[in-house]
Amino acid sequence: MKRGVFASRRVLGVLLLCAAAARAEVRLGALAVLEGEDTRRQWQPLADGLQRALGVPVRLQALAPAALEQAVARGALDFVVTNPGHYVALEARHGATRIATRSAGAQGDPAHAVGSAVVVRADAPGPPATLAALRGWRVAAVAEEAFGGYQLAAVEWLRQGVDAEAGGLRRAFTGYPMQRVAQAVLSGEADAGVLRTCLLELWERDGVVPAGALRVVPADDDGGTGAPPGCRASTPLYPGWAFAALAGTPPELSRQVLLALLAQPGESGALDGVWTVPADYQRVHDALRLLQVEPYAFLRETRLQALLHRYWGVAAALLALALVGVAYLLRVEVLVKRRTAELTHSLHERERLARQNAQHQEALGHLSRLSILGELSAMLAHELNHPLATIANYAAGLRRRAARGDLAPQDLERALRDIAHESERAARVIGGVRALARKRVPDRVAIDPRALVGEALTLLGGWQPQAVRVACAPGAEALRVRGDAPQLLQVLLNLLQNARDVHRAAGCEGEPIGVEIVPEDGCLALAVRDHGPPLSPEALALLFTPFHTTKPDGLGLGLSISRGIAEAHGGALHARPVPPHEGGGMRMVLLLPLAQPEAADGDTPA
């Protein structure tokens, strides 16, 4: 069996020698994490084995992370050997492709080969039982980008609620090589240090670190890390180191190197192992994504702290703008409330003034009606004297005829009927004057304008029959207006009295006063026309001004009150001079809105 295996290896070696004959040399870069020539001594057996298998020189370069990155970028290397975290970054930035993964030991699992060992001094008082117990300690590590030398421990701290980057630990990075970390812990410069698994055991074996001087903090899962035999770990193990081909390496050469790697014999020991097929590096990606480091450093740019740091000027401007907007809105709210209160107060004050003005208007109207009653006193005496004298005559005649004994029943009935008629006439005169004089609440009803004119002429019954001429336009007989009959009667009486006074002053009492009832612009016009002299423009402009009068004993309130009554009914009162070719004079026109037909039918005309 052994003879067959050796024969197979010889055949494979011959094939590799033939395939690589055209290559001058193979350039291999190795990540240097140890001091001095330790890294070269670690990987030189691998380079020698590949050289024997390929039959071409293999030039090994042990480079620090930055130098290795630069060599890959320049295309100065064909292959690299690096830790899993560094490989993931090279894969993302330079297109490196792993062709093999190193296992821990000859029989180890390549998916569980690399971890971190957090060490403290063995004589430290109260040694920590878990990684979380190191909160606030001074912890040394080689570099922030060291995968096994820092990042794996940082992942476990995050999972246990300790954010090393945010101040959960006092970090101190010593730089490569990793021996500096152990020296910092032993000298007391740091309370703890992060090493790659199995390095402490190697150093104790080689005498680099005194045996038993450092103690490894156990993992949180009570040692279930899957560490290689003879090694202690503080974190779970991740896929081992990667042997990767770079973007410019020919695929045929990569296949040759892979066959050579798989043919390399394994050796036992803390840092030894064998190369096998590439392991799944998803757990490595998850760890780097959790830390938000390369190739996931872009995630830091979307964090709130990064955004605030990058856009603090814009954020400050927006915040200031928002504060200004809020202040403006608050000020607007205060002003709106203040203006609303002022407007409400103004509306209440306006309503109060309107009520007060209405009361004053009513009082002035009452005074105007009393003034008219003073002028009607003589007429009242005349109007009452006639029915009273008639009643007295009928009573005396009945008494005489009764004394003679010739009073027939039908004569008695006719005399009594005439007495009752004259009594009702006197009562109507007295009732009309009382209604005109008393204060009351206006009542708007449908009014027949002809009846209103007739009632006004009845109150003015002392005038000569030819003193007033009433004309009603065709179609105006059926029209009605809505309003308060006593108030409109007051306006009509005022206009008629003013017309009579104008005739007396002008000496034209023989001319009749005209009263016209005509439709005009959707309204009903009651026009009173006199034949007096024309008014000057100044007198016409002051005609409706309160307390302005041309009468020696006038109050100057009649026309002003009459216009107010007309406007309160939704109408108007106009003074229109009559052209000389029509006889001259003044036409006072009372315009009143027409009542709706249903309203006119439902109310009793005045």
Side-chain angles (χ1 to χ4, degrees):
M1 183 66 181
K2 291 183 178 180
R3 186 176 302 168
V5 171
F6 292 148
S8 298
R9 288 183 177 177
R10 284 197 298 270
V11 172
L12 179 60
V14 172
L15 292 176
L16 292 177
L17 287 172
C18 295
R23 294 288 299 182
E25 67 174 358
V26 175
R27 299 165 297 177
L28 175 62
L31 179 65
V33 296
L34 300 177
E35 186 175 15
E37 293 295 321
D38 290 348
T39 300
R40 176 174 292 278
R41 285 195 297 270
Q42 177 186 359
W43 297 111
Q44 190 60 49
L46 172 63
D48 295 340
L50 290 177
Q51 182 171 316
R52 288 192 300 269
L54 297 175
V56 295
V58 175
R59 182 160 58 92
L60 175 64
Q61 302 179 52
L63 301 173
L68 183 60
E69 182 90 13
Q70 294 174 2
V72 171
R74 294 195 311 268
L77 298 174
D78 300 315
F79 301 95
V80 294
V81 178
T82 186
N83 65 43
H86 192 221
Y87 162 72
V88 169
L90 293 179
E91 181 184 46
R93 289 198 291 259
H94 303 289
T97 305
R98 64 186 183 278
I99 62 175
T101 300
R102 188 173 180 83
S103 65
Q107 304 298 326
D109 181 3
H112 299 83
V114 175
S116 294
V118 181
V119 298
V120 297
R121 291 181 56 169
D123 57 355
T130 62
L131 291 180
L134 297 179
R135 184 189 302 271
W137 285 34
R138 293 174 300 171
V139 177
V142 286
E144 193 170 7
E145 65 273 9
F147 186 70
Y150 172 73
Q151 291 177 343
L152 295 183
V155 168
E156 292 307 306
W157 273 313
L158 275 179
R159 290 173 178 169
Q160 297 180 29
V162 180
D163 190 346
E165 186 176 350
L169 299 173
R170 290 179 292 165
R171 302 181 301 171
F173 296 109
T174 64
Y176 291 96
M178 198 169 287
Q179 288 92 330
R180 296 179 183 177
V181 176
Q183 294 170 2
V185 177
L186 290 173
S187 65
E189 297 177 6
D191 301 320
V194 183
L195 303 176
R196 187 159 56 89
T197 52
C198 300
L199 274 181
L200 177 62
E201 290 77 10
L202 176 64
W203 289 338
E204 288 178 342
R205 185 186 65 191
D206 296 341
V208 177
V209 175
L214 296 177
R215 176 179 178 272
V216 177
V217 179
D220 188 48
D221 58 355
D222 196 22
T225 60
C231 296
R232 292 160 291 176
S234 303
T235 66
L237 298 184
Y238 287 75
W241 279 48
F243 194 105
L246 299 178
T249 303
E252 182 61 29
L253 179 59
S254 298
R255 288 193 293 271
Q256 297 168 11
V257 172
L258 173 59
L259 293 176
L261 289 174
L262 296 178
Q264 292 292 314
E267 299 180 6
S268 61
L271 291 179
D272 296 324
V274 296
W275 293 99
T276 183
V277 294
D280 183 8
Y281 277 58
Q282 183 59 44
R283 294 176 58 230
V284 179
H285 283 273
D286 295 339
L288 299 180
R289 186 183 299 109
L290 180 62
L291 294 178
Q292 295 182 354
V293 296
E294 290 294 339
Y296 299 101
F298 66 90
L299 295 177
R300 293 174 177 263
E301 300 178 0
T302 60
R303 292 190 300 181
L304 180 60
Q305 298 91 333
L307 293 177
L308 289 178
H309 179 73
R310 179 183 299 177
Y311 301 110
W312 69 269
V314 177
L318 292 177
L319 180 60
L321 184 61
L323 292 177
V324 171
V326 171
Y328 176 75
L329 292 178
L330 291 177
R331 175 171 175 77
V332 170
E333 183 72 17
V334 171
L335 291 178
V336 167
K337 290 184 178 180
R338 184 184 302 171
R339 297 293 188 271
T340 302
E342 294 175 355
L343 181 59
T344 303
H345 177 74
S346 300
L347 291 176
H348 292 166
E349 185 67 16
R350 181 177 179 180
E351 292 175 357
R352 186 187 67 80
L353 293 176
R355 291 193 298 269
Q356 184 177 357
N357 183 57
Q359 294 172 359
H360 292 168
Q361 188 77 12
E362 178 63 25
L364 291 175
H366 181 63
L367 291 176
S368 178
R369 290 193 294 272
L370 294 180
S371 176
I372 294 175
L373 286 177
E375 297 181 7
L376 295 178
S377 59
M379 178 274 298
L380 181 62
H382 178 271
E383 288 295 322
L384 291 178
N385 184 54
H386 184 271
L388 291 177
T390 303
I391 292 173
N393 290 334
Y394 275 116
L398 290 174
R399 189 168 51 250
R400 287 193 300 271
R401 295 185 64 176
R404 291 196 308 266
D406 60 349
L407 183 61
Q410 59 272 18
D411 295 334
L412 177 60
E413 181 181 357
R414 184 172 56 255
L416 292 176
R417 186 170 58 249
D418 292 340
I419 290 173
H421 176 72
E422 294 299 326
S423 299
E424 292 175 358
R425 178 183 173 187
R428 284 197 304 271
V429 173
I430 295 174
V433 174
R434 289 184 60 190
L436 188 63
R438 71 172 182 267
K439 285 186 177 182
R440 56 185 186 71
V441 178
D443 184 19
R444 302 289 177 88
V445 296
I447 300 173
D448 183 356
R450 295 175 302 171
L452 187 66
V453 173
E455 186 174 354
L457 295 179
T458 299
L459 290 175
L460 298 172
W463 290 13
Q464 295 296 328
Q466 69 276 10
V468 179
R469 182 179 300 163
V470 180
C472 185
E477 298 87 352
L479 298 179
R480 300 291 185 271
V481 295
R482 175 171 290 275
D484 182 70
Q487 287 186 346
L488 297 181
L489 180 61
Q490 174 185 347
V491 174
L492 193 55
L493 287 173
N494 184 272
L495 298 180
L496 291 172
Q497 287 283 13
N498 288 343
R500 186 177 67 169
D501 293 341
V502 168
H503 280 201
R504 286 177 178 175
C508 56
E509 293 180 283
E511 293 287 342
I513 297 173
V515 177
E516 302 172 355
I517 304 174
V518 296
E520 182 178 324
D521 297 333
C523 297
L524 185 70
L526 290 175
V528 177
R529 186 261 177 98
D530 62 59
H531 295 79
L535 295 177
S536 65
E538 293 78 8
L540 189 61
L542 298 174
L543 190 60
F544 295 99
T545 304
F547 304 107
H548 171 75
T549 180
T550 57
K551 300 178 182 179
D553 55 350
L555 296 177
L557 294 175
L559 289 179
S560 175
I561 294 174
S562 297
R563 171 173 274 188
I565 293 174
E567 292 176 350
H569 282 73
L573 181 61
H574 301 298
R576 300 173 180 173
V578 179
H581 67 272
E582 295 181 8
M586 184 70 66
R587 180 180 283 108
M588 304 298 295
V589 182
L590 173 62
L591 290 174
L592 296 172
L594 295 174
Q596 298 297 328
E598 57 272 13
D601 296 339
D603 296 326
T604 302

